[in-house]
């Protein structure tokens, strides 16, 4: 083989190899890792997609992202992401003209917003397992969920600015006592009202149930300035708050 032919063969081979490598990378990023843990690049992109709702409904986190989600939830990144959301919420709230008639409200969701169920998910696979309602309800009834630090601070600051706070949760009336107990123990000392699902709400999609409750509040003359939740179904639907704030939650998606 002549030297030039050898060189051009080498060139063709390396072009094929680099095309194959970039194809493989594209496939990996678009389909997710085929096996095992540790593909942080894909998992971080998936997390962004889930948080922005580009992913739409998902039942469990992607196979291979268990380690990533565990590290995200237990690390500084989750605390920092939550703190930035709270800071942006506060900046908006400080610009609101609070009237002082008790009708300026801010809505908070409860689970993964005011309270963190991380202790439950630490022993239940961080969203990698199908949701087990029985086991989750047992955990809720223990009333051991700690506050999400950034939300507790925001809550205090909003009260200081003169807002009324309303807690609107997908938890059911039967869980009222456990919820009140734990909100109080976690540091949430007062609220305008705590709205839980009544019997007639059971089976409703979260977005429909929460929108109906917001409509009732507006009909009673309340002005819903802000709404904080970790699920899009806490925030979307009509009527919406003037500003909605999405907290991070890569562990589950509620429709
Ligand atoms: C769900 O949790 C309950 C209570 O902890 C348990 O008895 C049951 O086996 C679990 N179901 C599944 C499908 O894992
Ligand atoms: C909730 O607590 C009140 C007392 O504060 C009690 O009367 C009521 O029975 C409790 N409800 C449930 C479902 O445990
Ligand atoms: C973290 C926290 O405040 N947990 C409390 C939740 O409420 C129960 C009482 O129902 C307390 O025992 C926990 O300490």
């Amino acid at each position: 083989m002549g030297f030039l032919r050898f060189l051009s063969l080498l060139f063709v081979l390396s072009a094929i190899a680099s095309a194959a490598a970039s194809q493989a990378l594209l496939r990996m990023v678009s389909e997710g890792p085929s096996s095992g843990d540790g593909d942080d690049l894909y998992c971080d992109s998936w997390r962004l997609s889930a948080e922005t709702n580009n992913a739409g409904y998902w039942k469990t986190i992607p196979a291979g992202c268990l380690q990533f989600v565990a590290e995200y939830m237990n690390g500084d990144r989750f605390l920092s992401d939550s703190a930035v959301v709270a800071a942006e919420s506060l900046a908006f709230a400080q610009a609101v003209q609070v009237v002082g008639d008790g009708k300026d409200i801010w809505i908070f969701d409860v689970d993964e917003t005011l309270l963190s169920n991380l202790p439950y998910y630490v022993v239940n696979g961080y969203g990698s397992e199908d949701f087990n309602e029985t086991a989750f309800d047992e955990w809720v009834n223990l009333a051991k969920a700690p506050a999400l630090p950034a939300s507790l601070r925001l809550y205090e600051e909003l009260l200081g600015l003169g807002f009324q706070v309303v807690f609107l949760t997908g938890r059911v009336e039967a869980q009222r006592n456990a919820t009140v107990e734990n909100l109080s123990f976690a540091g949430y000392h007062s609220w305008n009202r705590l709205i839980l699902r009544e019997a007639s709400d059971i089976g409703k999609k979260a977005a429909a149930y929460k929108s109906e409750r917001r409509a009732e509040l507006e009909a009673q003359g309340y002005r819903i300035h802000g709404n904080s939740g970790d699920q899009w179904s806490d925030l979307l639907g009509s009527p919406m708050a003037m500003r909605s704030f999405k907290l991070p939650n890569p562990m589950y998606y509620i429709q």
Side-chain angles (χ1 to χ4, degrees):
M1 194 191 299
F3 183 64
L4 276 181
R5 278 187 67 189
F6 173 74
L7 257 191
S8 63
L9 179 64
L10 205 64
F11 176 77
V12 166
L13 282 177
S14 73
I16 289 171
S18 91
S22 56
Q23 282 298 314
L25 182 65
L26 260 182
R27 229 182 358 262
M28 183 183 88
V29 170
S30 62
E31 291 167 9
S34 47
S35 67
D37 273 333
D39 192 342
D40 287 1
L41 176 62
Y42 167 73
C43 294
D44 203 18
S45 297
W46 171 79
R47 194 182 66 80
L48 177 65
S49 191
E51 293 297 2
T52 53
N53 211 12
N54 288 332
Y57 175 70
W58 47 274
K59 195 160 176 239
T60 52
I61 64 174
C65 293
L66 173 57
Q67 186 70 25
F68 175 87
V69 171
E71 280 170 13
Y72 172 81
M73 287 305 300
N74 290 292
D76 291 342
R77 183 67 189 277
F78 172 70
L79 293 176
S80 168
D81 285 355
S82 315
V84 169
V85 176
E88 284 158 351
S89 309
L90 180 61
F92 165 71
Q94 282 167 333
V96 170
Q97 209 64 46
V98 175
V99 176
D101 59 356
K103 298 284 191 184
D104 292 296
I105 61 171
W106 195 287
I107 298 178
F108 283 97
D109 165 57
V110 172
D111 291 298
E112 266 57 67
T113 298
L114 293 176
L115 299 177
S116 166
N117 295 302
L118 190 54
Y120 170 85
Y121 283 98
V122 165
V123 291
N124 286 278
Y126 295 97
S128 64
E129 298 164 12
D130 284 351
F131 182 65
N132 182 334
E133 193 166 346
T134 314
F136 187 74
D137 286 349
E138 285 170 6
W139 154 255
V140 163
N141 290 330
L142 291 177
K144 288 240 183 301
L148 215 139
S151 295
L152 183 55
R153 282 197 302 274
L154 175 63
Y155 158 85
E156 290 291 358
E157 286 157 343
L158 291 173
L159 289 179
L161 289 171
F163 286 91
Q164 297 287 311
V165 294
V166 169
F167 301 160
L168 174 52
T169 173
R171 292 184 178 197
V172 297
E173 272 297 337
Q175 294 169 317
R176 179 176 287 275
N177 282 2
T179 304
V180 166
E181 250 185 274
N182 223 143
L183 283 168
S184 311
F185 274 88
Y188 301 98
H189 46 82
S190 60
W191 48 83
N192 182 298
R193 64 185 73 183
L194 166 63
I195 305 172
L196 301 103
R197 277 182 196 256
E198 291 166 17
S200 58
D201 298 314
I202 313 251
K204 274 183 198 162
K205 289 259 166 73
Y209 152 69
K210 292 193 168 183
S211 300
E212 284 171 20
R213 290 297 185 275
R214 288 196 300 274
E216 285 169 16
L217 288 165
E218 286 198 350
Q220 291 160 17
Y222 289 101
R223 295 175 293 275
I224 308 174
H225 293 284
N227 185 6
S228 303
D230 64 294
Q231 298 291 320
W232 283 96
S233 56
D234 295 329
L235 311 173
L236 296 177
S238 180
M240 273 172 64
M242 252 165 271
R243 281 288 304 272
S244 299
F245 296 89
K246 169 75 172 70
L247 282 109
N249 182 0
M251 299 187 298
Y252 60 85
Y253 187 101
I254 296 175
Q255 278 179 303

